[in-house]
Amino acid sequence: MFEVATDVALLLILAAFVAGFVDSIAGGGGLVTVPALLLAGASPVEALATNKLQGSFGAGAAMVAYARAGHVRPMEQLVMAAVSAVAGAGGALVAHLIPVEVLRIIMPVVLIGVALFFALKPGLSDDASAARISPPVFAATLVPLVAAYDGFFGPGTGSFFMMGFVLLAGYGVLKATAHTKMLNFASNLGSLLVFIPLGVTWWAVGLAMAAAQVFGALLGARLAIRVGARLIKPLLVIVSTAMALRLLWQALAG
């Protein structure tokens, strides 16, 4: 039924639930699922493609939850979402052109960098502040950069979008987190449309992980709406560091 053994598939489903929960609060769900897929035996391109499939469902579920709670209006983000989808597709095209051996080295290095970013960044407030750039400039600069990164690699994309909304658009953390979800959903969808014709997606595993992502995302979004995103930061640092070191060891040993 699955592309891997059933016990491995169950572990991937559990990882997807955790990722959906984490990603809906502070981003970084890919820090859990991409390494998990690689450790399960997926090639880097298979891991990226399958991650986009299941991640699209999680981001979409979180987007709906935040919209229903009144923290974001998706119709107002359509232009940014379109930019995000196109840039995500572009990033996915680049990922496909890069040799597998290069990706095996890049992935753990980027994960370590993301872990350091989360560990060293200062605390954030839920209070809004003055915007430093206008929405059109934001849509033309940060959105395509982060979305292209999402199509190319992915882990931490939601967190990077969130930081952009906080530092550049002046949003509080909760509002910023809510606004990342449609952009993350769009970049996932754009890159997934590139991967599908390549035939590298694990559909059975990916759809099972998608169901778990939805449950995790809904639970995480509800928690974020109630208490904020501060509790998730240590988990992101620990998980990303542990997985990155494991993958780096595998890459160097191989």
Side-chain angles (χ1 to χ4, degrees), residues 69 80-81 186 200-201:
M80 286 190 185
V200 294
T201 307

Side-chain angles (χ1 to χ4, degrees), residues 229-243:
R230 292 187 301 271
L231 295 179
I232 216 66
K233 178 179 174 180
L235 179 62
L236 284 170
V237 174
I238 293 170
V239 170
S240 59
T241 301
M243 290 290 189

Side-chain angles (χ1 to χ4, degrees), residues 59-82:
M63 176 186 70
V64 171
Y66 283 116
R68 286 180 175 176
H71 293 289
V72 62
R73 296 177 180 177
M75 294 301 295
E76 296 179 357
Q77 284 192 292
L78 288 179
V79 173
M80 286 190 185

Side-chain angles (χ1 to χ4, degrees), residues 23-50:
D23 198 69
S24 66
I25 297 176
L31 298 174
V32 179
T33 50
V34 170
L37 284 162
L38 289 168
L39 294 174
S43 70
V45 175
E46 288 173 337
L48 290 173
T50 306

Side-chain angles (χ1 to χ4, degrees), residues 9-36:
L10 291 175
L11 291 175
L12 289 173
I13 292 170
L14 177 60
F17 174 82
V18 173
F21 177 83
V22 170
D23 198 69
S24 66
I25 297 176
L31 298 174
V32 179
T33 50
V34 170

